[in-house]
Every structure is written in C-alpha cells, then in structure tokens.
Amino acid sequence: MDTIASLFSFITWPVSWVIVQFHKVYGAVFGPDTGWAWGLSIVSLVVLIRICLIPLFVKQIKSTRNMQVLQPKMKAIQERYKSDKQRQSEEMMKLYKETGTNPLSSCLPILAQSPFFFALYHVLSSIADGKKIGVINDQLLESARQAHIFGAPLAAKFMDSADKIASLDASATSVKIVTAIMIVMMSASQFFTQRQLMTKNVDLTVKTPFMQQQKMMMYIFPVMFMVMGINFPVGVLVYWLTTNVWTMGQQMYVINQNPTPGSKAQDSYLQRLLKSTVATGEVKARRKRNVVKVIVAKGPDRNDVERKFINGLAKAGLAAEPDGTVVKSTTAVAEAEGGASLAKRQQPKRQTKAKRQSATAQQGTAAKASEDSDSKTSLEKKDEAQDAKPTAGKPAGSARQAKSGQRKGPQRPKHPSKK
C-alpha cells in the first residue's frame, strides 16, 4: 500500500494543505489537538472532493441512461444470438461503439477520487511514522499524533503492535474495537449501495455484461475493504466510511427521483406520481411533467410499468398530454374499462378438475343422445320414403323396364313427323 501511495505523492501537498485549512476552522471551535478537529477536517475533505466530482457523476448518469435506451436493442441481440455467446458479446461491443456508450462509466467517480485516497493514506502514514509531509510542520504533526477518535489515534492501524499504539498514548484494545467497527460499517455501506442498485434500479428483463460486473462488484468490493481495511489508519477509515455514506445517499436520491425504466424503483416512483396526480388533478413539478412527457412520447414502446401508469390515469378519468400535463377525459375511463373487460374475456377463469370432468361427461351424454335422435330420424325418413313409392302412379317395375340407353323419368313426346 505504501508503494502505491508513493506513486501519488505529487498530490500529497494539495491534500495536506486542504486538511490544514479545515483544521484551522474546526480547531477554533473544538480545540486544535482534538479528534473532532482532525476528524471533521477529513470529512470536509471528502465532501469537497465529492462536490468536485459532481460533473463526473452527471456524466455517469447520462451514460447509464444511454444504456437504458439501448436495452431493447441489447435484448434483441441476446435473443438473436442466444446459442452463440461469443457473437453476442461482439455485437454488444459493436453497439456500444456505434452509440458512444461506455458500460464502465459507473467506475469514473471511484477512479477519479483514487489519487486523493492514496494521497491521504500517504499523509496519515507519514504522521504515524512521525515524518513531516506537505504543509504539515512539526507543530501540526504533534497535534495530529495526539488526536484521538473514540479513543483511537488518527494514525493508528488495526495491525499495529501494542508498543507502537502505546507510543500514540492509546491501548491496543480500543484501537482494534474502533477500527473493526469502522471496517464493518465501511463494508456494509458498500454492499448496501451495490445491492440497492442491483435490486431496485435495474431492468431485470434485459441481462447485460454490465449487470454481471455489477453483481460481482457487490460481493467483491466489501470483501476487499475488509481485507485492506486492517491496514488503513483510522483517518483513512474515516475518509472511506464518509465517502461510502455519501455514495449511498447519492444513490438513494437517484433511485427515488430518476429511476431506471422498467425497474422496481420506477414502479414505486410512478405509483407515487399517480397518487399525487389523481389527488390534485395535475402534474405540478416541471421535472415530473418531463417524466410524463417522455412516457407519452414512447407510445407503444412503453414498458409494463409505464403502461400501468397510463392505465391508472385513464381509470381516474385523466389523460396524459404530449407536453406532460394531464386533462380530464370521459373517453379514457371507457377505454380503460373496455380494455379491462377485453382482458377478462381473453383470460377465462380456470375451472376445477371436478367441474371439467362433469362438463365432459355432460357433453358425451348430449352427443350420444344426438346420435340416437339422428339415427331414429333417418330410419323414420327411410320408412316414409318406402311407403310413398307405390302411390306415385307408376308401377314399381317401370323403371327396370326402361329400354337401355333411354333416359329415366317422363319422356318428351315425339314430333308427329317422326312417328
């Protein structure tokens, strides 16, 4: 870790300068040698870095939305090359290249803040070793070494020896307890953030390589943090726990306000929007009107969640307009009811086994009775026909006495000249 941190030594001076500036502010309130002053300085460093990374976060959201737009095409590729995984991957990569979409863009914030993380690790490691670094002079170095967070020195580690921890005026037990709790909280927050993303904000109808990577990250990253956390100073654990909590809150905001189409989060969001729209009869917020506008513009390409939202508006007597507003409509209710009745006709209620057997037996009985009736009727007709033949006015053998080649039945009289 020290070797990796030394690669980012060029940024240690700015990081140490920012920490010292925050320390001056908090030191005036809590005291310059307290853990609150140094701990809050590290937390403020995290907040400042994450604010600077907001443009990257916006780029990440846009890239994620591009991935969502491509999902129908990706699903078509999966169905077309279902038996050829290699060709499927090649077509996916080709689609990403043509549309300029990067499936790994979600890693941009992590990669961008990595230099700051390693620079802070380098600063705190130098403090633990009693070395000056950046703008931290001898006075600040001694103040930082005396700072304790819940009884654990700022520069202490879980794996430090008892003698080294004693030199920082602390006990090994308190350091191990504090660092263990912080490591568990850091790993749990990372796992919860990834799990929240995978279970609530992903369209599960389309499986992509990106989803598999996210699923792997959900389990691998927390384990990595646990293994690496035992070698982090307390100050670095404060930094990483703070950034994980920030990421978790940021992710919750995105899921609640800008969910992925077709996900559970979108279903919850549209249900809340439907409830408020039906209660007030209008879509108040501009951002919500944009959501309705996009749904209306999709037309027949809407997913099941969006169709459910439109049908809910129709049942309430409202119709969504292309500009995102809603208006009262009497035909919307009829169309919704008609669609519901059609669905009912298309999906008859399933009968029990006893009822199906009874119906089959009744049909067999009716068919047998019909056959008996038809046979009886045909016999009666045959008998009537045989009884009617002698009364036709012609002898019964007249037909057999007809000459060969002569047409049966009444004959036309011959012309007098041919007699």
Side-chain angles (χ1 to χ4, degrees):
M1 182 65 69
D2 293 330
T3 304
I4 299 175
S6 62
L7 298 175
F8 297 93
S9 58
F10 64 92
I11 203 173
T12 54
W13 193 94
V15 169
S16 62
W17 184 85
V18 172
I19 292 177
V20 168
Q21 301 308 310
F22 281 122
H23 176 262
K24 290 180 180 179
V25 176
Y26 295 117
V29 179
F30 301 102
D33 299 333
T34 60
W36 286 104
W38 286 100
L40 290 175
S41 299
I42 296 173
V43 172
S44 300
L45 174 66
V46 174
V47 174
L48 179 63
I49 292 173
R50 296 310 297 263
I51 290 174
C52 294
L53 292 178
I54 286 178
L56 285 179
F57 176 71
V58 173
K59 186 176 181 180
Q60 173 190 357
I61 293 298
K62 289 182 179 179
S63 181
T64 304
R65 289 295 174 262
N66 290 337
M67 291 287 293
Q68 294 163 4
V69 172
L70 294 178
Q71 283 181 355
K73 296 181 180 179
M74 293 161 66
K75 189 174 182 179
I77 291 174
Q78 289 175 355
E79 293 177 353
R80 185 175 181 181
Y81 303 104
K82 187 182 300 183
S83 58
D84 191 350
K85 298 296 181 182
Q86 182 178 358
R87 183 64 184 279
Q88 185 181 120
S89 300
E90 292 176 355
E91 292 296 326
M92 288 285 190
M93 294 299 108
K94 184 178 178 181
L95 180 63
Y96 295 151
K97 186 176 181 181
E98 290 176 352
T99 57
T101 304
N102 184 8
L104 299 178
S105 60
S106 61
C107 299
L108 287 176
I110 297 177
L111 295 176
Q113 68 176 328
S114 296
F116 299 96
F117 168 76
F118 287 111
L120 179 63
Y121 179 86
H122 196 196
V123 169
L124 294 175
S125 296
S126 299
I127 292 174
D129 296 334
K131 299 177 182 178
K132 294 185 294 183
I133 185 170
V135 299
I136 297 179
N137 51 30
D138 293 332
Q139 182 181 358
L140 292 172
L141 179 62
E142 185 64 25
S143 175
R145 288 175 63 85
Q146 294 178 4
H148 289 62
I149 298 177
F150 300 109
L154 195 69
K157 304 176 186 176
F158 183 88
M159 298 299 292
D160 284 346
S161 62
D163 295 336
K164 187 174 182 179
I165 294 175
S167 66
L168 298 173
D169 298 329
S171 65
T173 303
S174 62
V175 170
K176 292 186 183 300
I177 292 175
V178 171
T179 52
I181 293 174
M182 295 181 72
I183 289 171
V184 171
M185 292 176 63
M186 181 178 65
S187 301
S189 60
Q190 178 69 30
F191 177 79
F192 181 78
T193 301
Q194 291 294 331
R195 187 177 183 277
Q196 184 179 231
L197 179 66
M198 291 297 299
T199 57
K200 293 184 178 181
N201 204 36
V202 172
D203 186 359
L204 299 177
T205 60
V206 181
K207 295 183 179 180
T208 65
F210 174 70
M211 288 177 58
Q212 299 299 325
Q213 294 169 3
Q214 290 281 16
K215 190 174 182 179
M216 291 176 60
M217 290 167 59
M218 181 175 67
Y219 294 101
I220 292 175
F221 274 12
V223 176
M224 288 176 58
F225 284 138
M226 281 191 174
V227 174
M228 298 171 61
I230 60 178
N231 294 312
F232 289 167
V234 173
V236 174
L237 293 178
V238 171
Y239 173 91
W240 206 247
L241 178 60
T242 305
T243 193
N244 280 2
V245 172
W246 177 286
T247 303
M248 184 172 61
Q250 187 173 259
Q251 189 68 55
M252 291 177 64
Y253 175 80
V254 172
I255 289 175
N256 289 328
Q257 302 299 325
N258 195 11
T260 300
S263 63
K264 293 181 180 179
Q266 190 194 30
D267 189 13
S268 301
Y269 176 81
L270 291 181
Q271 289 302 311
R272 295 195 304 268
L273 179 58
L274 175 63
K275 186 176 180 180
S276 62
T277 303
V278 171
T280 60
E282 60 178 348
V283 184
K284 293 183 177 181
R286 181 179 179 182
R287 178 177 52 80
K288 294 180 180 179
R289 287 197 296 270
N290 289 335
V291 171
V292 177
K293 182 178 179 180
V294 171
I295 294 175
V296 173
K298 286 185 177 181
D301 295 332
R302 301 185 191 108
N303 56 46
D304 294 338
V305 175
E306 293 165 346
R307 282 192 288 269
K308 181 180 177 182
F309 172 73
I310 295 297
N311 290 336
L313 289 176
K315 289 179 181 179
L318 300 173
E321 295 294 308
D323 60 352
T325 60
V326 294
V327 295
K328 292 184 178 180
S329 174
T330 56
T331 58
V333 180
E335 290 176 358
E337 292 177 352
S341 61
L342 180 61
K344 290 181 180 178
R345 289 197 301 270
Q346 290 176 349
Q347 298 180 357
K349 186 177 180 180
R350 183 178 177 83
Q351 296 179 345
T352 61
K353 185 177 180 180
K355 288 184 178 181
R356 291 197 301 270
Q357 290 177 350
S358 176
T360 304
Q362 291 177 0
Q363 290 177 358
T365 305
K368 186 176 180 180
S370 177
E371 289 177 359
D372 294 342
S373 176
D374 291 343
S375 60
K376 183 177 180 181
T377 304
S378 60
L379 288 174
E380 291 176 354
K381 288 182 178 180
K382 187 174 181 181
D383 293 340
E384 290 177 359
Q386 289 177 355
D387 294 341
K389 281 182 181 179
T391 61
K394 246 184 186 181
S398 61
R400 289 192 299 268
Q401 293 175 1
K403 293 182 180 180
S404 177
Q406 187 176 2
R407 187 172 59 182
K408 296 179 181 181
Q411 302 293 324
R412 291 179 62 184
K414 294 183 178 181
H415 195 273
S417 62
K418 294 183 180 181
K419 287 183 179 179

